[in-house]
Amino acid sequence: RSAVIAATAQARDARADLIVTLGGGSITDGAKAVQLCLANDVRTVEDMERIKGGAEVKPPTVRQISIPTTLSAGEFSGIAGVTNEATRVKEMFRHPLTVPQAVILDPEVTRHTPMWLFLSTGIRAVDHCVEGVCSNESTEFTNASGLHGLSLLARGLPRVLADPADMKARLDCQIGSWLSMGGLAAGVPMGASHGIGYVLGAVFDVPHGHTSCIMLPWVMRWNKPANADRQALIANAMGHPGRDAGDVLDEFIAGLGMPRSLSAVKIGREHFERIATQAMGTPWVPRNPRPIHGPAEVQEILDLTA
């Protein structure tokens, strides 16, 4: 929140009539929140309570253009995730018009993004595709977007790792990232990977890409009794028809050199109770395709990821 307020003050002092962002998801979401703060005369961290959640919020008048350098795809969403430093909770600030007016996908600017960040945010986009397709609330249209985006990412990310100068592969990843947001933009909920990831990011400062690398394969395995037919679509889109989707994702993430357990990011079992309780308060865990009724079931997933 404090960073958003500082940036808002700078924009206000400059009498900005447009905000241009060049960077990753934190920069993009920060500017989306700045739009709302400018429009609603928010000047302090405490003032942000007035616009949290999106109820009766005045629409932005200073709009945004984004040039993303990572693949987490926040530039295609009207939601800004902002961490409240006082509570260590990631909060949502939203309005349909905070979505940038234009997004410029330029693979050349991503050559400066650290490889771990490019690849891990690519798995974040994979997570959008997978949880969108596997949702009980998906549609044929959002499935088409998600499955094509997934196939682009599944082919493109290893090519970028093998040859960082492959601009076609980088652009494929960027287009896959864009398509990964089709479900979210249409109102399809994410699941437990995203929900638990929100807590890991806000409380333990785990980068969002890494939360997806760790959580997604295990959430898929835990969910399989509820949606094996959807999971078959995932394995097929990634080029491994007939295989277990959780295993395919785990091997794919390992091949990119990403962390695959909570212990790899130094989160021990002593934190699981807090994570499980806080995850139930996210928008996504209660809408996971296999019903999660309380923290005990979240803890079952965490035990798998230890």
Side-chain angles (χ1 to χ4, degrees):
R1 282 190 179 193
S2 59
V4 169
I5 293 299
T8 301
Q10 291 181 325
R12 192 178 282 121
D13 290 345
R15 297 181 182 177
D17 58 5
L18 179 70
I19 301 170
V20 180
T21 61
L22 172 65
S26 297
I27 301 299
T28 303
D29 273 24
K32 287 190 283 188
V34 167
Q35 291 182 65
L36 292 176
C37 289
L38 288 172
N40 291 273
D41 196 32
V42 171
R43 295 174 181 268
T44 67
V45 166
E46 294 73 24
D47 275 352
M48 290 185 73
E49 285 296 315
R50 290 195 283 109
I51 60 169
K52 187 172 71 175
E56 298 182 23
V57 173
K58 293 179 183 175
T61 53
V62 178
R63 298 296 300 278
Q64 179 176 342
I65 293 173
S66 282
I67 309 163
T69 58
T70 63
L71 298 171
S72 49
E75 57 276 1
F76 301 108
S77 160
I79 299 172
V82 179
T83 299
N84 183 334
E85 299 100 317
T87 60
R88 302 296 286 176
V89 171
K90 183 177 179 182
E91 300 169 332
M92 288 189 174
F93 296 83
R94 66 176 82 208
H95 189 282
L97 293 181
T98 60
V99 67
Q101 278 193 301
V103 177
I104 299 169
L105 298 179
D106 181 355
E108 291 286 348
V109 300
T110 71
R111 67 166 68 242
H112 307 287
T113 304
M115 185 60 75
W116 74 267
L117 184 58
F118 187 85
L119 296 176
S120 65
T121 55
I123 298 300
R124 187 66 172 178
V126 166
D127 202 351
H128 299 327
C129 295
V130 170
E131 291 215 305
V133 170
C134 289
S135 169
N136 296 334
E137 302 174 50
S138 71
T139 69
E140 292 302 325
F141 179 83
T142 61
N143 287 345
S145 174
L147 290 169
H148 185 50
L150 178 60
S151 68
L152 287 170
L153 289 158
R155 295 194 304 268
L157 290 167
R159 286 165 52 206
V160 172
L161 179 60
D163 179 9
D166 187 339
M167 291 299 126
K168 175 65 169 64
R170 287 179 178 270
L171 183 59
D172 281 351
C173 291
Q174 288 183 305
I175 293 171
S177 169
W178 166 43
L179 292 173
S180 81
M181 292 298 286
L184 270 167
V188 176
M190 299 292 100
S193 178
H194 275 73
I196 297 169
Y198 275 19
V199 180
L200 299 178
V203 178
F204 300 98
D205 296 320
V206 179
H208 271 169
H210 282 170
T211 70
S212 290
C213 293
I214 294 163
M215 296 310 308
L216 182 59
W218 295 107
V219 168
M220 291 287 280
R221 289 164 175 149
W222 193 85
N223 282 343
K224 190 171 182 180
N227 62 0
D229 56 335
R230 297 297 185 96
Q231 296 204 15
L233 298 175
I234 300 302
N236 190 56
M238 296 185 72
H240 297 280
R243 290 199 57 205
D244 179 85
D247 290 348
V248 171
L249 285 161
D250 196 17
E251 291 169 14
F252 183 74
I253 291 163
L256 297 178
M258 295 292 107
R260 289 154 55 230
S261 68
L262 289 172
S263 59
V265 291
K266 299 181 170 54
I267 297 175
R269 291 179 183 274
E270 68 274 14
H271 299 295
F272 286 6
E273 185 176 350
R274 178 185 179 181
I275 295 168
T277 301
Q278 196 164 322
M280 290 304 300
T282 68
W284 307 136
V285 168
R287 295 170 81 179
N288 188 65
R290 178 180 170 186
I292 295 176
H293 302 290
E297 287 148 316
V298 178
Q299 202 146 342
E300 288 179 18
I301 301 171
L302 295 173
D303 287 336
L304 295 172
T305 67

